[in-house]
Amino acid sequence: MEFAKDSSIRINALAPGQTATPMTGTIELPTDCDIDLMRPYMGYRKAAQPEEQAAAILFLASDDASAFHGAVVSSDGALTAG
């Protein structure tokens, strides 16, 4: 951040949660898995599409995010919302 003070450089990050990809689409839970034990560790809405994660990154890199400096934006289906 010390180099960004006097420039137009912004340093931000995206903290993605589960993202639907060909790799994650093949995950199968064991038949004896207790889904209720797993729910606290899963996003509440859905797995994000790669395009949704990319849109968040594009926003952070755009002039529309000029007020964002040193931000970490969570995109995890509300998993870390509390």
Side-chain angles (χ1 to χ4, degrees), residues 17-31 33 35 38 42 47:
Q18 182 181 5
T19 304
T21 66
M23 183 178 76
T24 61
T26 61
I27 296 174
E28 293 185 23
L29 298 175
T31 55
C33 175
I35 193 69
M38 294 185 64
M42 300 166 67

Side-chain angles (χ1 to χ4, degrees), residues 33-42:
C33 175
D34 186 347
I35 193 69
D36 291 328
L37 291 176
M38 294 185 64
R39 282 195 205 289
Y41 307 101
M42 300 166 67

Side-chain angles (χ1 to χ4, degrees), residues 2 4 12 14-15 21-22 24 27 31-32 37-38 41-42 47 50 52 54 57-58 61 64 66 68 72 78:
E2 67 184 88
N12 297 301
L14 181 72
T21 66
T24 61
I27 296 174
T31 55
D32 61 344
L37 291 176
M38 294 185 64
Y41 307 101
M42 300 166 67
E52 293 172 306
I57 293 167
L58 287 173
D64 291 337
S66 62
F68 286 68
V72 178

